[in-house]
Amino acid sequence: MADWKAGLEDVIAARSGICAVDGAAGRLFYRGYEIGELAGHASYEEVTWLLWHGELPTAEEGRAFAAALEATRGLPAPVLELLERLPRDCHPLDALRTAVSLAASVDPDVRSNDREANLRKACRVMTLIPATVAAWQRIRTGREPVPARRAGSHAAWFLAMLNGRDPSPEVARVMDLVLTLHADHEFNASTFALRVAVATLADLHAAVVAAIATLKGPKHGGANEDVLAMLRDIGDPARAAGYVGERLGARAGMSRAERGDPRARMPGFGHRVYKVDDARARVLRGMAKSMAEATGRGRLFEVAERVYDAMKAGTDLPVNVDFFSAVVYDALDIPPDFCTSIFAVGRVAGWCAHALEQYADNRLIRPRADYTGPAPRRMLTSMASSPTS
Ligand SMILES: CC(C)(COP(=O)(O)OP(=O)(O)OC[C@H]1O[C@@H](n2cnc3c(N)ncnc32)[C@H](O)[C@@H]1OP(=O)(O)O)[C@@H](O)C(=O)NCCC(=O)NCCS
């Protein structure tokens, strides 16, 4: 068998025109636009249109797209009933995965993979995910889900569903930015899982379920949950450097497998592609500072800053998107086990873009394994159990 790369590192798995990552320079582009230029200048809805269609929308297209999304707001009744029956300690991402799976059964286009049907389904999944995330957070904390309403930006609507009141324009702007920064990231693990599912010609909902399942892991989206839990655990900026030293120092006597365990790593640091801090992390760091100060959570930001300094002093690992986003989530009053759900609310735009691209020019994704098991051998007849026993 030819060369293989553990974890498919640097392997080109398909051609894509959606998102480019420059790992050496820490730069990220959606359809050619640099993320720092898009974030704050185009709304999350406009960025979603860009990812799906290749160009920013005209004013007319933007209005029509916002209206199309607004028209799909509201949870299907069976999904709401499902959420009400789930055990209250069900992890938010498990609740979301299960809800998207059920939503397929009530989607009128579930049996069609035509582009128009997929665009309609993509709009519905775009609002299903935030509506489910918000409803589940309220239900599991003993509150009534907020009835759907039509008006308002995607970010403001999501926050209103979550908190039961309209957000201030500033908080809505922060959420819009967070969603935009998370909207896509080339062939990250959840997007790749989605493309593998799409390539079998499974339906969009099935592929999004695969993506959500993959996002959950602590080496991918689940890391933001671990970051917030860790920062709260450290608690005091003066303890941060010691904590980092202990956690990294414990790795010295470990085997490679043990060093791979998330408990032996610093969540929010390291990346398969980036060799330096990426642009999203830089924007999120600034947002984390101003949000933490505005909401009286400056101490957690200080802990994060001291952890960041200690990591820079002790390693050459870049900070990743999950580190400072966790501080922003804390300022938005989002608990640790809910952080990855916010990631999903943003990333669904990219998942849908990649699904549309894969359906449009599809070939089954089916790699090979470099077989390392026993050489071909014969079974001894005395080893076989009797078929009648
Ligand atoms: C993101 C991540 C999974 C990338 O993994 P990868 O490309 O397969 O890199 P590797 O796991 O091979 O790591 C390369 C080396 O850096 C070390 N390393 C990578 N990330 C590390 C971290 N967060 N803390 C400590 N060491 C880390 C590895 O232990 C390894 O060194 P070793 O060979 O001495 O054990 C990895 O950096 C990680 O686990 N980060 C923490 C979780 C996280 O923040 N995930 C979100 C990513 S956006």
Side-chain angles (χ1 to χ4, degrees):
M1 184 68 63
D3 281 354
W4 68 281
K5 289 285 194 78
L8 300 181
E9 182 166 1
D10 291 333
V11 169
I12 306 294
R15 309 190 89 180
S16 174
I18 300 171
C19 180
V21 176
D22 178 345
R27 297 174 75 185
L28 168 64
F29 302 83
Y30 295 168
R31 300 276 190 190
Y33 294 108
E34 187 136 28
I35 188 71
E37 207 181 318
L38 275 175
H41 295 102
S43 69
Y44 175 69
E45 290 90 320
E46 289 168 332
V47 168
T48 300
W49 177 278
L50 170 72
L51 292 171
W52 293 6
H53 299 283
E55 297 295 336
L56 283 163
T58 62
E60 181 55 33
E61 287 166 340
R63 271 193 297 276
F65 185 54
L69 286 178
E70 282 174 23
T72 66
R73 290 178 180 174
L75 277 180
V79 173
L80 190 54
E81 281 164 31
L82 167 86
L83 295 178
E84 276 160 354
R85 283 163 186 239
L86 285 177
R88 295 295 183 260
D89 61 353
C90 178
H91 189 283
L93 224 55
D94 295 343
L96 178 63
R97 193 192 64 227
T98 309
V100 174
S101 206
L102 177 63
S105 68
V106 293
D107 193 292
D109 290 310
V110 70
R111 287 190 173 75
S112 173
N113 279 336
D114 293 350
R115 183 168 168 86
E116 288 309 311
N118 274 327
L119 281 167
R120 287 193 296 275
K121 283 190 279 189
C123 282
R124 289 194 282 268
V125 173
M126 280 290 293
T127 53
L128 172 70
I129 288 189
T132 302
V133 163
W136 178 239
Q137 177 61 4
R138 293 185 69 82
I139 290 170
R140 75 178 184 139
T141 53
R143 293 171 295 168
E144 286 290 312
V146 176
R149 44 163 229 186
R150 297 281 177 237
S153 73
H154 197 74
W157 166 71
F158 169 53
L159 286 165
M161 299 280 291
L162 187 60
N163 298 323
R165 59 177 187 279
D166 285 333
S168 69
E170 180 51 29
V171 168
R173 203 183 80 83
V174 166
M175 182 55 77
D176 186 276
L177 269 171
V178 166
L179 299 182
T180 295
L181 294 174
H182 284 84
D184 195 41
H185 207 232
E186 202 221 43
F187 279 18
N188 61 90
S190 57
T191 301
F192 189 61
L194 166 128
R195 288 190 76 128
V196 170
V198 167
T200 70
L201 298 183
D203 59 87
L204 181 68
H205 286 77
V208 170
V209 169
I212 296 169
T214 310
L215 184 72
K216 190 180 179 199
K219 292 198 172 199
H220 188 16
N224 58 14
E225 172 172 340
D226 293 346
V227 169
L228 186 49
M230 174 184 77
L231 296 178
R232 286 187 175 180
D233 186 38
I234 296 172
D236 180 349
R239 285 190 57 217
Y243 177 94
V244 172
E246 261 173 46
R247 195 151 168 174
L248 293 180
R251 296 164 50 79
M254 290 181 178
S255 66
R256 201 175 146 281
E258 287 167 336
R259 291 197 307 274
D261 188 299
R263 286 166 300 185
R265 293 182 172 209
M266 286 294 292
F269 289 87
H271 200 274
R272 174 60 65 76
V273 182
Y274 291 118
K275 305 301 170 215
V276 297
D277 294 357
D278 73 271
R280 301 168 305 169
R282 290 195 294 273
V283 177
L284 284 162
R285 189 179 182 187
M287 282 165 67
K289 183 174 189 320
S290 48
M291 282 295 290
E293 281 166 1
T295 55
R297 311 266 183 131
R299 193 170 168 84
L300 195 92
F301 177 73
E302 273 309 309
V303 173
E305 284 286 277
R306 298 292 78 79
V307 168
Y308 178 83
D309 292 344
M311 287 298 288
K312 290 289 149 189
T315 76
D316 56 4
L317 295 168
V319 73
N320 63 48
V321 70
D322 293 313
F323 190 70
F324 284 109
S325 63
V327 183
V328 175
Y329 298 152
D330 179 70
L332 291 170
D333 235 356
I334 285 162
D337 70 349
F338 194 57
C339 292
T340 317
S341 299
I342 309 289
F343 193 148
V345 172
R347 183 56 54 87
V348 62
W351 289 337
C352 291
H354 282 270
L356 292 165
E357 188 181 62
Q358 183 72 40
Y359 283 122
D361 184 12
N362 185 51
R363 188 157 189 234
L364 182 76
I365 298 172
R366 201 298 189 191
R368 296 295 312 276
D370 184 13
Y371 177 71
T372 59
R377 51 185 168 162
R378 303 291 303 270
M379 198 167 76
L380 296 175
T381 44
S382 60
M383 288 167 66
S385 58
S386 155
T388 54
S389 63

